[in-house]
Amino acid sequence: MTLAILCSGQGGQHADMFDLTGADSRTDALFAHAARHLGADPRAWVRDADPDALRENRTAQLLCTLQALAAAALLDPVLPRRRCVAGYSVGEVASWSIAGLFDPHDALDLADARARAMDAASGGDEGMMFVRGLARADVERLCADRDAAVAIANPGDAFVIAGRRDAVEAIAADAARAGAQRVAPVGVRIASHTRRLASAVPAFRAVLGAAPIRRALPGTRLFCGIDGSAVLDTRDGLDKLARQIAEPVEWAACLAGCVEAGATAFLELGPGRALAEMAAGAYPALPARSLADFRSLDGVASWLERVTGR
């Protein structure tokens, strides 16, 4: 049996996000390393932070990467050796570590570098918006000649657009008039995965080029966010990991790639449940859960045992 491990992007961070992953001493070193970037222990920081601070780009990327890495470290003894790994936006940095290619501490450093490069490239006054129920061609037409673009393509005609805030808001209004089933703001204040952040790509690629790379774990297949293809060549994969900052994430293709590679269940590491819900909607015959669904790591282990037959 093959498990698809899904690493969340920013947007779902919250005060209780480390309840399962932060209470175990096995993750203390990861939290201590993240604290060097955050300036405080993340476990305490998230409980006291106001919503605006939680949504700040660099902080959010660090928190979400830390959550995935801590969860993977704690669950590693019960995770099947045959696994697919895919990451949503910044989650792709964590996915490289979970696949074995980056040391977890290096992955935290890379998430910090990625966020800093994006902040430096951002023109400010940017945002993201979720649109469901229109065909991609129709959404792209709404974005045409505006300073915004499709940033993420999810299953079921669901898209995230990003760009200048006024352009994004105008597109949202037009999408609602065009019959979109749902239009909602995304809690991200940067135009991720669009050409507005093009100057961040070479900056982050240079950082990736200096990072130590290890062999992928046996039985693991890692997927690229921008096209859903498996990483078969490390250099090409690193190029795509950097390009993802300024190119759309093809998340529907990533999920399809996992299924085509034999995935029989999905586990999202969080924070949040968005990826598990998308997987369940796209592939209702396959079990899909998030770490956020469980009250204990033993509960996660029991579920994994049932769905993977270990």
Side-chain angles (χ1 to χ4, degrees):
M1 307 289 278
T2 300
L3 176 71
I5 299 171
L6 309 179
C7 302
S8 314
Q10 60 175 301
Q13 58 274 13
H14 57 88
D16 302 323
M17 62 183 287
F18 297 127
D19 279 3
L20 287 187
T21 57
D24 192 304
S25 62
R26 289 175 292 173
T27 61
D28 283 350
L30 278 173
F31 280 93
H33 193 84
R36 298 176 191 172
H37 294 294
L38 189 61
D41 188 318
R43 292 167 290 195
W45 188 90
V46 295
R47 293 191 176 281
D48 297 328
D50 62 44
D52 283 344
L54 278 168
R55 288 192 293 267
E56 192 273 328
N57 178 56
R58 175 173 165 268
T59 299
Q61 294 199 41
L62 280 167
L63 294 176
C64 294
T65 302
L66 174 60
Q67 167 68 6
L69 296 173
L74 294 175
L75 293 172
D76 186 67
V78 297
L79 292 173
R81 295 304 97 186
R82 291 181 57 83
R83 61 183 76 164
C84 299
V85 190
Y88 191 90
S89 190
V90 70
E92 195 171 352
V93 175
S95 75
W96 275 67
S97 179
I98 292 167
L101 289 120
F102 293 149
D103 175 84
H105 296 84
D106 290 340
L108 287 169
D109 295 341
L110 289 169
D112 181 71
R114 179 182 186 270
R116 289 181 182 276
M118 293 169 70
D119 284 339
S122 172
D125 196 28
E126 296 171 343
M128 304 185 83
M129 189 76 64
F130 177 81
V131 177
R132 179 192 293 279
L134 299 178
R136 183 167 186 163
D138 294 329
V139 177
E140 289 175 341
R141 276 194 290 271
L142 292 177
C143 294
D145 300 322
R146 285 167 162 159
D147 198 354
V150 171
I152 305 175
N154 293 320
D157 285 336
F159 305 94
V160 177
I161 60 173
R164 278 189 55 85
R165 187 172 302 279
D166 55 356
V168 167
E169 291 173 352
I171 293 165
D174 287 348
R177 285 191 289 267
Q181 297 168 2
R182 183 169 181 246
V183 178
V186 175
V188 178
R189 300 172 176 176
I190 197 166
S192 302
H193 318 301
T194 73
R195 289 166 52 188
R196 286 182 65 87
L197 299 188
S199 64
V201 173
F204 186 48
R205 183 62 180 89
V207 176
L208 289 171
I213 303 293
R214 309 186 299 192
R215 285 182 177 270
L217 295 172
T220 298
R221 182 162 293 190
L222 173 66
F223 290 90
C224 294
I226 63 172
D227 58 13
S229 66
V231 176
L232 302 177
D233 176 83
T234 302
R235 182 182 294 275
D236 182 57
L238 290 172
D239 287 343
K240 290 180 178 180
L241 180 59
R243 286 167 47 199
Q244 178 242 70
I245 286 175
E247 296 183 24
V249 170
E250 301 293 342
W251 187 244
C254 289
L255 293 180
C258 290
V259 173
E260 290 166 9
T264 53
F266 296 92
L267 177 63
E268 179 181 0
L269 299 183
R273 299 178 174 85
L275 303 187
E277 290 173 356
M278 282 190 266
Y283 301 97
L286 301 182
R289 300 292 296 275
S290 169
L291 195 70
D293 296 331
F294 298 92
R295 295 184 179 181
S296 70
L297 293 173
D298 287 343
V300 185
S302 296
W303 178 79
L304 286 169
E305 185 176 4
R306 291 197 302 274
V307 300
T308 63
R310 293 187 72 196

